Amino acid sequence: MPGLDYFSKAETTTQAPAAPSSESSGSTTSASGVYYNARLDPKNYLEGPLSVHPATRLRQMLARPGIVIAPGICDGISARCALEAGFNCMYQSGAATTASRLGQPDVAIATMNDFVGAAQMVCSLDPTVPVIADADTGFGGPANVARTVTQYARAGVAGLHIEDQVQTKRCGHLMGKQVVSREEFLTRIRAAVIARDSIPGGSDFVIIGRTDSAQVLGMEEAITRLKLAADAGADVCFIEGVKTEELLRSTVAALAPKPVLVNVISGGLTPSFTSSEAEAMGAKIIIFSLVSCVAMVHAVRAAMHSLKKTGTDFSSAKGMDPKSFFEVMGLNEVIELDAKAGGSAFQVV
C-alpha cells in the first residue's frame, strides 16, 4: 500500500495546552486527548538536504518516499559491516545486544545501562546514520521510561521503541508472552513523549509504540492499543508478530497515516518479507533484528569447529589478514586523522 499519506495531520478538536513539556516543544493535546506537536509535523521534514543530526534525519526519511531498511546489529563489528554495505539506518536489537554483551537470551536480563553503553559505541561510528534502538518496556515506571529516553537521546540514538509486555518480558517471537493493561502501556508512551519534549532545544527523537498483544489478546486489541499509542504521541506504530501479508496490510490501513514498522526474523512469527514486499504492503520501516547475530553464530561456530578439527584458522580467515580486518574497523580513517593532526605514528602500518 505505498503512497499512503504520512504527511497529513489527523483532525483534532480545539487544542488545549499539553501535559508538562518544554515551552519550545510546540506540543498540544486536544480535548479528546490526542497529542499533536506542530514542530514535529512530518510536513516539516519533506524538503531540504538530509540533516547531519540522526533523529532529524530519521524523521526526514520517514516523511519522504521509500521504506527505511534497518539491519539489526549487535556490536561494533556488525555495525561496521552494515555501514560498509551502505545501509543508511541501523537497528540496535535488544535480543542481539543481550546476546552479544552478556551471552544471555532475550528474557529481560539486560539493563538500560547495557543498552545505553552499546548505543554510545554504535552511534559514534557514524554519528549521521540514524540508529533505532530497542528499549524493551522502558525498564520500569514512568520515571524510568523518561530516564531511558533521555539517556538514549544523549547516547546519539535517533529513536526507540517501548512495548507493552510485563517487566519480565521476552523476545517478541517466543511463546508465553504477557502484556500489561492498555492504560499502563499508554502511561509508558506518554512518559516517553513528555521526556522527549522536555529535552532542551527541542528534540526530534522518534518515539515508537510497540505492542506484543496480538498473540495474547488478538489483532483487534493490538490495533486498538496502537491507535491509542498514536493518540498519546507515538510517532511510529510497531505491531510485533504479524503472521500474514493480509494482516500487515490491514494493520497499515487501520493505523494510517501513522507509519508502521515491521520486524522480520527468519523462523519467527512474521513471514520472511523482503524489504520491497513490505514496502508494497505499506510498511514504512522494516527491521531485521537478528540478521547479524544469527549469521555470527553460524560463522563463528563453523570457524571454531574448523579450528578444532584442523588445528589452523587458515580456511576460516578466507585470506583476510590483520590489516584488512582493521580497515573494516576504520583503520584508514584513524591514519588520515593522525596525519592531518601532524602525527607520524602510522606512516607505516
Side-chain angles (χ1 to χ4, degrees), residues 219-232:
M219 283 297 296
E220 184 176 349
E221 174 65 16
I223 296 296
T224 298
R225 287 182 176 224
L226 289 181
K227 286 181 177 179
L228 292 170
D231 287 347

Side-chain angles (χ1 to χ4, degrees), residues 13-238:
T13 56
T14 304
Q15 303 292 318
S21 62
S22 64
E23 293 181 359
S24 61
S25 72
S27 63
T28 56
T29 304
S30 72
S32 58
V34 177
Y35 171 95
Y36 175 68
N37 191 325
R39 184 179 62 80
L40 299 179
D41 193 303
K43 291 193 291 290
N44 298 331
Y45 300 88
L46 285 170
E47 299 178 354
L50 289 176
S51 174
V52 297
H53 302 290
T56 304
R57 179 173 290 210
L58 180 57
R59 286 190 178 273
Q60 291 172 320
M61 294 165 70
L62 290 173
R64 300 176 187 189
I67 191 169
V68 177
I69 305 170
I73 51 91
C74 59
D75 59 10
I77 296 175
S78 56
R80 285 287 190 183
C81 290
L83 293 171
E84 182 185 62
F87 285 100
N88 58 10
C89 185
M90 295 187 290
Y91 173 63
Q92 181 177 295
S93 160
T97 303
T98 301
S100 177
R101 291 180 71 87
L102 304 179
Q104 296 289 339
D106 184 15
V107 288
I109 295 173
T111 67
M112 184 198 73
N113 290 338
D114 292 319
F115 286 0
V116 169
Q120 288 173 331
M121 177 272 298
V122 167
C123 294
S124 72
L125 299 180
D126 186 339
T128 68
V129 172
V131 174
I132 300 170
D134 188 348
D136 283 355
T137 63
F139 307 103
N144 301 84
V145 172
R147 181 169 179 264
T148 297
V149 169
T150 301
Q151 293 296 311
Y152 274 45
R154 287 177 180 170
V157 173
L160 58 67
H161 60 76
I162 298 282
E163 68 195 49
D164 60 356
Q165 285 198 56
V166 297
Q167 294 297 339
T168 50
K169 59 140 297 176
R170 64 196 62 193
C171 169
H173 291 253
L174 295 178
M175 299 297 102
K177 294 188 291 185
Q178 300 177 62
V179 295
V180 298
S181 66
R182 286 184 190 177
E183 184 52 40
E184 185 170 346
F185 176 44
L186 296 178
T187 297
R188 294 174 183 176
I189 298 299
R190 286 192 291 263
V193 172
I194 291 170
R196 189 269 315 284
D197 289 349
S198 299
I199 295 174
S203 173
D204 286 339
F205 194 83
V206 175
I207 305 296
I208 303 170
R210 163 179 157 173
T211 184
D212 286 74
S213 60
Q215 289 76 51
V216 182
L217 302 173
M219 283 297 296
E220 184 176 349
E221 174 65 16
I223 296 296
T224 298
R225 287 182 176 224
L226 289 181
K227 286 181 177 179
L228 292 170
D231 287 347
D235 301 296
V236 177
C237 294
F238 173 3

